[in-house]
Amino acid sequence: MPEELPEDLPEGVLEGARGALPDPDAGAPDQDARVPVTARYAGGAAAGGREGEHVVAAKNRWARAVLGFRDLAPETWYALDFTLAWDPAERAGAALDFALAGFDFLAPDGSSLDFESVPGLVRTLPDPHGIWLPGPAYRPEGARAAALRLAFRVPAPASDLALGFRSWRNTAPFRVSGVRLRPVLTGPEAAPAVAVPRRRLGPEPLVLAQALVPGAGLVLRGQIFSERPDEHAAYAGVLYRDAAGAELPLPYPDTVSVPGHGASVNLPAKPQARRFTLTLRPPPGAVSVELGFRTWEEADEEPPAVELVAAPEVALEQALRLESLCGDDLLDGPAFLARLAERLGLEPGAEAGWLPGAAESGTAGESGAAEVAPAPAPLGRARALRQGPERTGRGADGRPVLRLAGLADWALPDPPDWRADPYRSVPWRLDYQSLAWLSALGDAAPALAAAWAGENPWGQPADPLSLHPAALSLRAEVLAGLAAGPLPAEEAGLRLVLVGAAAQHGVALAEIVGQNAFGRSLHGVQAAAALLSVARALPRLPLAPFWDSLALRVLGEAVAALIGPDGRFADPALQRRLDLVGLGRALAACLDGEAPGPDIAARVEAGLGGLAGLLDPGGRLPPFGDAPPAGDEAAWVARLLARGPDLVAAREAAPAPARAGGFAHDTLSARADAVGRGAAHFACTFAAPQGHADCTSFVLAADGVRWIVEAGGSESLETGPARHYLVSARAHNVALLDGREPAAGPAWNAGSVRLDGAAAHRIETRLHGPDVAHARLFLLLDDLDGIAVIDRFRGPASAALAFEGLLHLAPEAIVALSGPRRALAQQGARRLNLVPWIAEGRAAGLTLVNGRNEHPGALQGFVAGPRGLVPASTLAYAVAGRGTVCGGMLIATDLAVEERLTRLLAGEAFGAFLAG
């Protein structure tokens, strides 16, 4: 951050900004700091009144200041510091997307690089990657400026950055000043959980195989990077095969035949990063194509450093895209199939031959029977692993009664209301619009699915949330399964409707999957799995082989990007990991040995390590990261572990080395079952922050009672102050340095040590700026009737440091300050002592907050409930000093346990571990 705030800020800014957000880097050396070397403006943005200041006008997404940085180190974490000041008349202060910090990573010659993902950032539409900046209402009340810090890891091979501050919701101009980048030094074990693969090219081809749609062109888009700009950096070799797998003879349309290289398309890299579009016109008889990306050099020559920046996007030609097929028409299923047949150049009525059970002559079977009912599809299997048997059924009057998203029973009206939202619940609506509940309704399911299709023509859904990927993918699988399954004779006419609706979903999913619209995420895997289901349920569709091939390739790539070979996960949220594991297991079963099934199965099995140990005595997982309201998670875990409903064996095997893969890679957990006292449980996450600022947060149960809890996930709260609170550090049991939110960055387990009847663990992070090294230590008694949580911050010797640790108590607990240095929590006859402990620095306060909500940016003392926030007590303890501050909290079930913790903390063994 700049040493001084701009002199011409509005009156009153200094008190608000300085008082609320002290600068932790005051006096820190700046030899590694990078400042912008260029500045460009658009949409009314302009330079400010002093050096290094930029004014961004209120012109929505077109107003932006773009700052250029040079010579950044690839694969290095950087902290971005700047000051954001706003107008006192700003009316969009409560917007979570008030402004956007957009990131465009560049090659040394300034050409833009298209990366799939960047740690610390999210994919955005205005800029390739970015971070949304909340409005002034989420800053300290009365402040007119905020000192902000963001962090990200520069992806290889980028070396430069175009950083844009873009207007979005602001209604008045805002100012940005003091922008600088500094590298964040990390420890040797701070490598990413799942390494991002680099697609380097050489003499051996990198092959992409894809089935084709007869008579249809194929379009591939990608980007090539070369350290040496060259008109002949690389090429794509093209090879077409017929239905028997034999190579089709040359020449091929739109390719050049080069001796020794076959049919080729040159890929220049001038500038260094060059986007390319390959439009393939398959020759007659071609049913598949193989593209081999490689350099022109032979094996004995020195090739330049060339790579594909990301997996190429794959799509059919424009005439077969969903937007072109539908146009402005609201096509029902049969009309959509007829339009598709027309675009493929087939005779009118050809679509009748695409139906399951159709005769070879192309006419639909009048009996309405399918050829063979498809096996259970992967998303349906994964859903069954998650929630067990389908809970929807019929009431006493025979009407369907839906039990969705863990909420109360709801009777389906006749006719169905596809706009229904009886509980004002996003999860309920997603579950409802997925149609997954139809499987429990037997013969009534096809008619209800056809009714949904009739009321939801593509492009005009009854509920816009039905297009959410969580609903879209599962519904596609359901529609395809019903379309391919048996139908009563009197409902045989529904088959054309259902096949058409499934085909519409298949075309949409193919575009989503082929263009990597969801990135390498759980939603992306779900979309690819659903596309595979549609292709295999309806193999007579002309597009089915193309969908099948595309889905298999993307599934292999996406799962590999989310689960490492040792089972380490890229996503920090526990529930999303379980969803991914369940879907991976279902995919492996459905593929039955077909690639990439075996690789997915191996990664899933490796990822289960340490899972069962995270369950608390009530069978719940800690809500680290985004999480839905708690369900029967113990049964979910038991089904994933395939050990039946009894988790005793799984829990006994739960303690795993902290450095192992799977869940044990970035979580700590411990259990104890003292006779006569009830179960005790501890769990901590140190997964790299992504969405939630919960790295190093923990939960604790003792004497069979939950004491320290997480405020909860935010899956059911999509917008507004509650969402902002639940993802912020204030909703987690973490330490905040100098009042700031921790940024993204690495964290790792730095070791453990056994003590007398206890164990100590140290986690190190780089979440608090380049000049501050942070370690969080946990001292756990073997019986878990007492623990200590200690934070140590080391900064420049002269720097003033202060941190505040947060502890969220369960809503059922009665909490009170029983003295200036002590708090007491009680649930029934159970008590818990909470006593601050200082090693370096001085005690700077002990406060208790419950349900504070006078200002959006000041929410504190809440946990997430099924329908919103629930007041609960939050205990905050502060430590201040210079250079190094170290302290924390002793948490004990009685005075004897407290004294035991104190002796261990004062012992030589723990002192050496703390200083290490």
Side-chain angles (χ1 to χ4, degrees):
M1 297 311 304
E3 296 300 327
E4 299 294 337
L5 291 172
E7 294 176 354
D8 56 349
L9 287 177
E11 185 177 343
V13 164
L14 294 179
E15 292 78 7
R18 282 289 189 209
L21 294 164
D23 189 347
D25 302 323
D30 273 342
Q31 62 267 25
D32 293 328
R34 305 291 181 88
V35 296
V37 296
T38 61
R40 296 182 290 109
Y41 304 99
R50 58 177 290 159
E51 185 178 358
E53 184 182 63
H54 316 275
V55 181
V56 180
K59 298 227 178 140
N60 208 301
R61 63 199 67 185
W62 306 117
R64 62 193 183 277
V66 182
L67 311 181
F69 292 86
R70 298 285 183 265
D71 301 323
L72 304 180
E75 302 302 329
T76 299
W77 280 93
Y78 280 86
L80 167 66
D81 293 312
F82 61 96
T83 297
L84 179 71
W86 49 87
D87 191 284
E90 178 59 61
R91 300 190 305 275
L96 293 179
D97 53 351
F98 173 77
L100 175 67
F103 295 74
D104 187 7
F105 292 93
L106 311 173
D109 66 354
S111 47
S112 180
L113 293 160
D114 300 330
F115 294 105
E116 293 176 345
S117 62
V118 177
L121 308 178
V122 297
R123 293 180 64 165
T124 57
L125 288 176
D127 299 281
H129 304 275
I131 295 180
W132 296 104
L133 304 178
Y138 300 101
R139 313 302 174 193
E141 191 168 14
R144 300 267 289 281
L148 303 182
R149 173 174 291 139
L150 311 175
F152 58 93
R153 193 175 80 230
V154 176
S159 64
D160 298 350
L161 168 65
L163 170 65
F165 291 96
R166 188 183 293 267
S167 168
W168 201 254
R169 301 287 185 192
N170 58 302
T171 62
F174 63 82
R175 299 184 181 192
V176 175
S177 60
V179 182
R180 63 173 175 169
L181 285 176
R182 290 181 296 160
V184 178
L185 300 179
T186 60
E189 299 184 29
V194 180
V196 178
R198 296 181 65 178
R199 299 168 176 84
R200 293 184 173 91
L201 304 183
E204 291 298 318
L206 182 66
V207 178
L208 184 154
Q210 177 63 55
L212 300 170
V213 176
L218 192 67
V219 180
L220 290 91
R221 292 187 175 90
Q223 187 179 44
I224 191 170
F225 167 81
S226 175
E227 289 186 355
R228 185 182 70 204
D230 197 330
E231 289 290 351
H232 302 282
Y235 73 93
V238 183
L239 176 63
Y240 291 104
R241 296 185 182 275
D242 62 17
E247 298 180 15
L248 293 180
L250 300 176
Y252 299 152
D254 300 323
T255 66
V256 175
S257 296
V258 179
H261 295 274
S264 308
V265 179
N266 185 52
L267 300 175
K270 197 169 185 178
Q272 282 175 279
R274 177 76 173 264
R275 296 180 178 90
F276 63 82
T277 299
L278 301 180
T279 302
L280 304 180
R281 302 290 178 188
V287 299
S288 67
V289 63
E290 294 173 10
L291 292 165
F293 294 92
R294 54 161 291 186
T295 57
W296 287 103
E297 286 76 13
E298 298 299 334
D300 58 349
E301 297 178 301
E302 182 81 20
V306 182
E307 63 183 283
L308 287 172
V309 178
E313 298 178 1
V314 178
L316 295 174
E317 61 185 349
Q318 183 61 37
L320 295 176
R321 307 276 180 86
L322 187 63
E323 183 179 10
S324 175
L325 284 167
C326 293
D328 295 328
D329 303 320
L330 299 178
L331 300 179
D332 61 12
F336 180 80
L337 293 177
R339 178 76 55 86
L340 180 60
E342 175 191 348
R343 293 292 173 87
L344 290 172
L346 303 178
E347 294 293 329
E351 64 272 15
W354 303 346
L355 305 186
E360 293 299 327
S361 61
T363 59
E366 296 183 0
S367 69
E371 292 163 316
V372 178
L379 292 179
R381 291 189 182 204
R383 177 184 170 89
L385 284 170
R386 183 188 233 272
Q387 68 177 38
E390 184 62 54
R391 293 170 294 168
T392 286
R394 295 185 180 276
D397 58 358
R399 293 171 56 194
V401 175
L402 279 54
R403 301 177 179 92
L404 307 178
L407 295 174
D409 293 359
W410 182 73
L412 184 71
D414 187 15
D417 177 8
W418 301 114
R419 294 179 176 84
D421 183 14
Y423 303 108
R424 299 294 184 265
S425 166
V426 169
W428 189 94
R429 288 166 63 196
L430 290 174
D431 208 357
Y432 182 53
Q433 295 294 334
S434 76
L435 303 186
W437 44 272
L438 287 177
S439 63
L441 299 182
D443 291 346
L448 286 170
W452 184 94
E455 294 293 325
N456 290 268
W458 199 268
Q460 197 174 88
D463 183 347
L465 205 60
S466 67
L467 297 179
H468 188 285
L472 175 68
S473 298
L474 190 49
R475 186 175 61 250
E477 188 178 270
V478 170
L479 290 171
L482 292 172
L487 291 177
E490 63 274 13
E491 293 183 352
L494 296 180
R495 193 173 302 280
L496 194 63
V497 175
L498 295 173
V499 171
Q504 283 180 316
H505 282 66
V507 172
L509 288 169
E511 294 182 15
I512 289 169
V513 171
Q515 296 172 27
N516 195 24
F518 298 146
R520 301 310 188 205
S521 66
L522 174 63
H523 285 326
V525 178
Q526 290 169 334
L531 182 63
L532 183 68
S533 296
V534 177
R536 298 199 168 182
L538 302 172
R540 292 176 178 270
L541 288 174
L543 276 58
F546 169 76
W547 293 344
D548 192 288
S549 174
L550 176 63
L552 287 174
R553 179 170 52 79
V554 171
L555 280 172
E557 294 173 352
V559 174
L562 292 171
I563 310 179
D566 61 354
R568 299 184 182 193
F569 293 91
D571 194 319
L574 301 187
Q575 278 80 358
R576 281 206 290 263
R577 291 182 180 185
L578 293 191
D579 278 323
L580 182 60
V581 165
L583 181 51
R585 177 162 288 175
L587 281 166
C590 292
L591 291 172
D592 193 24
E594 178 185 2
D599 180 65
I600 292 174
R603 291 172 186 265
V604 164
E605 290 307 311
L608 291 172
L611 170 56
L614 293 170
L615 289 166
D616 71 11
R620 285 172 287 195
L621 282 173
F624 299 138
D626 264 1
D632 189 0
E633 291 165 324
W636 187 10
V637 170
R639 286 188 288 268
L640 289 174
L641 295 174
R643 303 187 184 197
D646 184 4
L647 278 180
V648 173
R651 284 171 174 165
E652 289 176 351
R659 299 171 191 268
F663 288 79
H665 165 66
D666 50 18
T667 62
L668 294 173
S669 63
R671 297 186 58 84
D673 292 286
V675 177
R677 299 192 60 178
H681 177 257
F682 165 87
C684 164
T685 178
F686 52 97
Q690 182 178 314
H692 283 251
D694 61 357
C695 184
T696 72
S697 188
F698 70 100
V699 295
L700 175 68
D703 291 344
V705 174
R706 291 193 315 144
W707 289 107
I708 309 299
V709 301
E710 275 278 272
S714 56
E715 190 170 276
S716 59
L717 296 165
E718 299 291 328
T719 60
R723 166 77 183 186
H724 181 266
Y725 165 71
L726 289 175
V727 302
S728 73
R730 298 192 316 278
H732 304 294
N733 302 310
V734 299
L736 285 72
L737 181 65
D738 293 320
R740 294 182 184 231
E741 287 278 310
W748 63 97
N749 189 314
S752 304
V753 64
R754 281 295 306 172
L755 302 172
D756 182 16
H761 308 272
R762 184 170 67 243
I763 298 165
E764 295 191 5
T765 82
R766 294 297 180 267
L767 310 179
H768 302 276
D771 303 318
V772 178
H774 170 232
R776 169 161 272 202
L777 293 90
F778 292 100
L779 175 60
L780 309 178
L781 300 183
D782 289 345
D783 289 339
L784 289 182
D785 50 358
I787 75 167
V789 52
I790 310 297
D791 287 282
R792 184 193 64 204
F793 292 90
R794 287 178 174 170
S798 61
L801 299 176
F803 78 85
E804 182 180 59
L806 300 175
L807 296 176
H808 293 77
L809 281 298
E812 301 82 12
I814 300 172
V815 189
L817 298 180
S818 56
R821 297 284 308 279
R822 179 178 292 272
L824 178 67
Q826 184 170 346
Q827 294 190 59
R830 305 292 192 183
R831 292 190 176 188
L832 196 70
N833 296 329
L834 301 114
V835 184
W837 181 84
I838 309 297
E840 294 187 68
R842 66 183 187 279
L846 183 66
T847 58
L848 187 63
V849 177
N850 188 294
R852 186 178 67 200
N853 64 356
E854 73 277 8
H855 178 64
L859 261 68
Q860 189 67 76
F862 292 96
V863 298
R867 299 189 185 182
L869 298 181
V870 176
S873 295
T874 299
L875 185 67
Y877 54 96
V879 182
R882 286 191 175 273
T884 299
V885 290
C886 181
M889 184 71 73
L890 279 62
I891 305 171
T893 54
D894 57 41
L895 287 175
V897 172
E898 181 185 326
E899 292 171 357
R900 193 173 156 213
L901 285 171
T902 302
R903 287 195 301 271
L904 288 170
L905 291 173
E908 184 176 340
F910 183 82
F913 186 64
L914 177 61

